[in-house]
Amino acid sequence: MSDSAEKSEVAERTPEERRERRRVAWRGARRVLWRPGFRSTVGELLTGLTDAAQDVYDLDLPVDMYGNGIVETLEERAAGLLGKEAAAFFPSGTMAQQVALRCWAGRTGNATVAMHPLSHPEVHERHSLSALGGLRTVHPTREPRMPSAGEVRDLDEPFGTLFLELPLREAGFVLPSWEELVAVTDAARERDAVVHFDGARLWECGTHFGRSLAEISDLADSVYVSFYKSLGGFGGAALAGPRTLVDEAKAWRHRYGGQILQQFPTALSALIGLERELPRLPQYVAHARVVAGALREGFAGAGLPWARVHPEEPHTHQFQVWLPYEADDLTDTGALQAEETGVSLFPQVWNRGGPGLAYTEVTVGAPGLEWTADDVRAAVREFAARIPH
């Protein structure tokens, strides 16, 4: 089928039909860099949970009720890894961070939070901080990077909390240097502010910083971590910090509707992720750099007019790829490659980055460790050959 005929056939499908086609193609691919849990079936996830559960928890213990038992075990494990006095389990990171920031606002007496405009609460949470918590935000910088110490120090109005997302996903999963991170947290304290880390993906930052989780977390007064973004859990999050803050956060967790009767499946999946995936993350980060280099070489060899891997050397096991085509065309190309070759190089949608410009996110997980640089370059050639021109 010609490029124009293929494009016409795809365009005639409804949005629902196109989404289903992509789902089937991506799920059916035999070779991928990453297999997200949300593409699994209920049966597959249940089987994985029951097969691994006995390795991380005594299944003869009573089931949890309203946050005790296995939930407390997970909280203690998270607090220990992060080097904090205590931790509270939350059903979502959105809830955990809203609670953390409103607690700090009460303690500092300042409801203003300094954060990057690309931070998760600003982009993905429907103005939750102001709508529910009465908080307001100010932006030390709009550059696609973490604010510098100078920008925090020179911010022209007071703020009670400095909020830092590590890594900053929307900017390309980017991290500062260790020295920059130390300097910016020091600058916040010079302003009599506390520091909160949005560490949804903090688990994989140690390679870049050359520090342990506890050393990184020690720079912040409180830290939020996710149990599903890098660890493969079913969901859930933890807020870690001083015990008095965590106790207050648990009271707000109840008020926000997070005091759930039983959470053992999610807690079990988190414990499994800490046991199995956390030790492997440095391997994923190292191999992501191999994959990124091979992608650049593959794009150059395929003769594409322009391509960008950002950052050129990934800071974590996730990064962005930018190409000069329409987002829908690239998304459909990814599905077509998976259908025709069984190889899924870009198993996610592409987003519009400007006129005729699109980007997608690449994640390297356990399946990606099987890919050599030659495999990546070959997959790029197959992908580029299917882009409609």
Side-chain angles (χ1 to χ4, degrees):
M1 184 180 295
S2 68
D3 286 349
S4 59
E6 170 68 20
K7 190 171 183 178
S8 175
E9 180 182 322
V10 171
E12 291 175 0
R13 298 188 178 111
T14 66
E16 292 76 15
E17 289 172 336
R18 295 175 74 178
R19 282 194 293 271
E20 178 60 15
R21 177 202 177 190
R22 295 195 298 264
R23 186 193 70 80
V24 171
W26 290 337
R27 177 172 159 75
R30 58 181 173 77
R31 295 208 73 187
V32 296
L33 292 168
W34 173 58
R35 288 195 187 276
F38 58 78
R39 294 228 173 96
S40 303
T41 65
V42 172
E44 287 168 342
L45 291 183
L46 283 175
T47 297
L49 184 70
T50 54
D51 286 349
Q54 61 185 353
D55 295 332
V56 299
Y57 194 73
D58 183 351
L59 303 185
D60 290 327
L61 291 173
V63 74
D64 60 300
M65 292 188 66
Y66 295 118
N68 67 1
I70 190 172
V71 176
E72 291 176 329
T73 297
L74 177 59
E75 290 172 339
E76 291 167 4
R77 180 79 184 277
L81 286 168
L82 298 170
K84 297 299 185 185
E85 286 185 342
F89 180 77
F90 280 82
S92 76
T94 297
M95 184 188 293
Q97 298 206 111
Q98 286 183 39
V99 167
L101 294 175
R102 75 179 302 154
C103 287
W104 283 126
R107 288 161 180 251
T108 63
N110 189 324
T112 301
V113 182
M115 65 170 60
H116 199 287
L118 292 178
S119 297
H120 195 278
E122 295 286 71
V123 178
H124 296 293
E125 297 180 18
R126 300 190 179 190
H127 311 291
S128 61
L129 296 183
S130 59
L132 297 179
L135 308 177
R136 60 185 291 267
T137 59
V138 293
H139 304 146
T141 183
R142 291 187 175 274
E143 294 297 316
R145 54 161 173 76
M146 194 186 75
S148 68
E151 288 164 339
V152 168
R153 194 175 290 113
D154 296 338
L155 196 59
D156 57 5
E157 57 183 306
F159 56 92
T161 304
L162 175 65
F163 176 107
L164 298 174
E165 183 178 321
L166 301 175
L168 186 56
R169 175 194 180 177
E170 298 296 333
F173 304 96
V174 296
L175 290 164
S177 69
W178 177 253
E179 293 74 20
E180 289 169 334
L181 184 59
V182 171
V184 77
T185 56
D186 285 346
R189 295 195 171 91
E190 291 173 22
R191 299 287 303 263
D192 295 323
V194 298
V195 177
H196 171 78
F197 283 172
D198 175 339
R201 297 171 174 84
L202 191 71
W203 305 116
E204 61 265 32
C205 292
T207 299
H208 176 83
F209 289 132
R211 301 293 192 283
S212 69
L213 286 167
E215 289 176 295
I216 299 168
S217 299
D218 189 53
L219 297 180
D221 298 280
S222 60
V223 181
Y224 141 68
V225 289
S226 170
F227 291 120
Y228 75 89
K229 287 187 170 67
S230 302
L231 301 181
F234 293 172
L239 173 65
R243 188 170 300 279
T244 55
L245 176 80
V246 170
D247 288 344
E248 181 185 2
K250 287 182 177 180
W252 280 105
R253 180 181 66 186
H254 195 175
R255 295 184 181 111
Y256 270 69
Q259 189 84 333
I260 297 173
L261 177 61
Q262 290 173 346
Q263 301 173 92
F264 68 90
T266 302
L268 266 177
S269 71
L271 288 170
I272 293 167
L274 290 173
E275 181 71 22
R276 295 189 171 185
E277 285 299 295
L278 182 58
R280 303 186 73 182
L281 286 173
Q283 292 177 265
Y284 302 164
V285 176
H287 201 60
R289 295 170 180 174
V290 175
V291 171
L295 284 171
R296 286 196 304 274
E297 294 164 0
F299 289 133
L304 296 183
W306 179 88
R308 177 73 186 275
V309 175
H310 175 70
E312 288 193 2
E313 181 175 282
H315 297 171
T316 72
H317 69 311
Q318 297 179 287
F319 54 92
Q320 293 177 342
V321 170
W322 290 72
L323 291 175
Y325 298 95
E326 295 299 333
D328 286 348
D329 288 344
L330 294 175
T331 300
D332 291 333
T333 297
L336 182 63
Q337 180 183 22
E339 287 175 338
E340 294 184 346
T341 71
V343 175
S344 183
L345 183 60
F346 301 117
Q348 297 195 92
V349 298
W350 288 72
N351 304 288
R352 186 177 186 273
L357 186 64
Y359 69 94
T360 192
E361 296 175 347
V362 174
T363 300
V364 177
L369 297 179
E370 301 174 3
W371 291 54
T372 65
D374 285 342
D375 292 335
V376 175
R377 287 188 286 263
V380 170
R381 288 194 297 272
E382 293 286 346
F383 178 83
R386 289 168 170 78
I387 300 175
H389 297 284

